């Protein structure tokens, strides 16, 4: 759960942004007006998190944020300051600009704090740039100097204690806004390392190691070469079916090839012009082939060739099986019946075919 909601975060950034050209005392007053004592604790904690990211706040805003943190416990010893460790850690960060580290060290040492509080962050930066660059102490010296400091800031700064305002009433500290004893709630949480994971005993957990076969199995049906070989076999069988009747084993092999992959019918080499040969020589193969072509756009060409074939027992058998298996177009059925009637009336049709035709049509 976030420390601040969207409205509170907007107020915090507004205070920091507006403090670029305002005095640091004015920034403190604006912060006190923006946050109630109970919300100020969360807001200052968020300020610490913002300062850890060097790119979130600009340099004037960072100076104002450091001043707010220092104000939270300015009348307390540094060892009891809720944000003292954070300020000391920032002062030891050699990556930060010298002016920012010098500003924090001035707050911690209590040097000319009355003058600093009356300046704006931009004014402080301009005066610092006009002076020679100071030689800052090393991080080790800073740690040794401020880790054992117990004197209060008021003994060196000369600023009035918390709860007492100046005559003009402009000085309002965060201690007054937070109430007596509220600085104890500002203590940063003590970070503890995560507990180590205990090593389990041998009799604690029973492990199951299933036997997993590690040998590789190749699936020919998934490879392009395997599909090409199967299509080549089907093409060879279809070529034999166009020249003569196939053996029962060969017919079964063709049916298995078509059932395994119905799309092979489009690459088996059967054209509408060769359909009559397949119907007369291998009607069972012709039936299975036409059934797999029924839902394609080329089926009309095959049906046109079938309806114009010479009338024979095999062609009638193919048409009869198709009508019982799928719904053929009505115009095809009518045209085929008309052609059958005309063929029966013709003298070219044998008597046996004339007798069988009515039985097939009626069935």
């Amino acid at each position: 759960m976030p420390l601040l909601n969207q409205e509170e975060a907007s107020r915090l950034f507004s205070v920091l942004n507006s403090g670029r050209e305002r005095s640091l005392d004015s920034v403190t007053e604006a912060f006190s007006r923006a946050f109630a004592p109970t919300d100020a604790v969360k807001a200052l904690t968020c300020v610490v998190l913002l300062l850890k990211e060097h790119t979130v706040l600009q340099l004037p805003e960072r100076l104002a944020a450091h001043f707010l943190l220092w104000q939270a416990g300015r009348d307390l010893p540094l060892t009891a300051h809720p944000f003292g460790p954070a300020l000391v850690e920032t002062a030891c960060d050699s990556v930060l600009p010298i002016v920012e580290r010098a500003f924090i060290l001035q707050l911690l040492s209590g040097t000319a704090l009355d003058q600093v509080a009356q300046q704006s962050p931009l004014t402080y930066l301009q005066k610092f740039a006009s002076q020679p660059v100071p030689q800052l102490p090393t991080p080790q010296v800073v740690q040794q100097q401020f880790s054992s400091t117990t004197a209060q800031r008021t003994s060196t700064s000369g600023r009035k204690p918390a709860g007492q305002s100046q005559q003009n009433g402009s000085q309002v500290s965060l201690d007054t806004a937070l109430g007596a004893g509220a600085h104890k709630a500002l203590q940063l949480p003590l970070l503890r390392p995560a507990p180590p994971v205990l090593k389990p005993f041998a009799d604690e957990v029973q492990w199951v190691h299933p036997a997993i076969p590690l040998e590789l199995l190749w699936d020919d049906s998934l490879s392009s070469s395997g599909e090409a070989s199967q299509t080549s076999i089907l093409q060879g069988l279809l070529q034999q079916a166009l020249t003569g009747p196939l053996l029962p084993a060969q017919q079964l092999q063709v049916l298995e090839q078509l059932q395994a992959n119905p799309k092979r019918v489009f690459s088996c080499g059967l054209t509408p012009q060769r359909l009559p040969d397949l119907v007369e020589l291998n009607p069972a193969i012709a039936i299975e082939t036409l059934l797999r072509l029924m839902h394609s756009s080329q089926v009309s060409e095959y049906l046109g060739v079938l309806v114009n074939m010479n009338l024979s027992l095999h062609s009638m058998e193919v048409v009869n099986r198709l009508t019982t298996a799928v719904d053929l177009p009505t115009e095809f059925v009518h045209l085929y019946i008309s052609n059958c009637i005309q063929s029966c009336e013709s003298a070219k049709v044998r008597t046996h075919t004339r007798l069988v035709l009515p039985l097939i049509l009626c069935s």
Side-chain angles (χ1 to χ4, degrees), residues 19 30 85 122 130 150 181 191 212 221 232 245 249 288 343:
L122 291 179
S130 62
T150 57
L191 300 180
I212 302 177
S221 61
S232 177
E288 297 296 332
S343 298

Side-chain angles (χ1 to χ4, degrees), residues 116-139:
V116 173
Q118 299 302 322
Q119 298 177 4
S120 66
L122 291 179
T123 303
Y124 183 88
L125 293 175
Q126 293 173 359
K127 290 185 176 181
F128 189 88
S130 62
Q131 299 175 359
V133 180
Q135 184 69 27
L136 300 182
T138 62

Side-chain angles (χ1 to χ4, degrees), residues 116-317:
V116 173
Q118 299 302 322
Q119 298 177 4
S120 66
L122 291 179
T123 303
Y124 183 88
L125 293 175
Q126 293 173 359
K127 290 185 176 181
F128 189 88
S130 62
Q131 299 175 359
V133 180
Q135 184 69 27
L136 300 182
T138 62
Q140 293 78 8
V141 175
V142 174
Q143 289 286 353
Q144 295 176 0
Q145 179 181 356
F146 294 104
S147 61
S148 59
T149 301
T150 57
Q152 295 187 359
R153 302 279 71 78
T154 53
S155 63
T156 56
S157 63
R159 297 176 64 87
K160 294 184 179 296
Q164 298 182 6
S165 60
Q166 295 179 350
Q167 294 181 358
N168 56 8
S170 60
Q171 178 65 31
V172 179
S173 67
L174 288 181
D175 289 339
T176 304
L178 296 178
H183 62 275
K184 297 180 180 179
L186 296 175
Q187 294 289 347
L188 294 180
L190 178 60
L191 300 180
R192 300 179 178 88
V197 179
L198 299 178
K199 186 176 181 181
F201 295 102
D203 57 348
E204 220 174 2
V205 181
Q206 182 179 1
W207 298 98
V208 179
H209 299 281
I212 302 177
L214 300 179
E215 62 272 9
L216 297 176
L217 301 178
W218 186 260
D219 190 358
D220 294 333
S221 61
L222 299 179
S223 62
S224 58
S225 59
E227 179 63 26
S229 62
Q230 297 298 328
T231 304
S232 177
I233 295 175
L234 181 60
Q235 290 177 351
L237 292 174
L238 258 296
Q239 292 300 324
Q240 296 182 24
L242 295 174
T243 57
L246 295 180
L247 299 175
Q250 293 176 324
Q251 293 184 13
L252 181 61
Q253 189 176 3
V254 173
L255 296 180
E256 291 177 351
Q257 292 284 349
L258 294 177
Q259 291 176 357
N261 188 359
K263 294 183 179 181
R264 291 174 184 170
V265 71
F266 300 104
S267 57
C268 64
L270 178 64
T271 61
Q273 292 76 16
R274 301 301 305 274
L275 180 61
D277 296 335
L278 185 62
V279 169
E280 293 298 334
L281 296 175
N282 295 278
I285 302 300
I287 294 170
E288 297 296 332
T289 304
L290 291 174
L291 287 176
R292 285 157 179 80
L293 290 170
M294 290 304 300
H295 299 290
S296 67
S297 59
Q298 306 173 4
V299 67
S300 58
E301 300 180 15
Y302 290 91
L303 293 180
V305 173
L306 183 61
V307 77
N308 294 319
M309 281 182 57
N310 294 330
L311 187 62
S312 64
L313 292 177
H314 288 171
S315 64
M316 290 187 294
E317 179 184 357

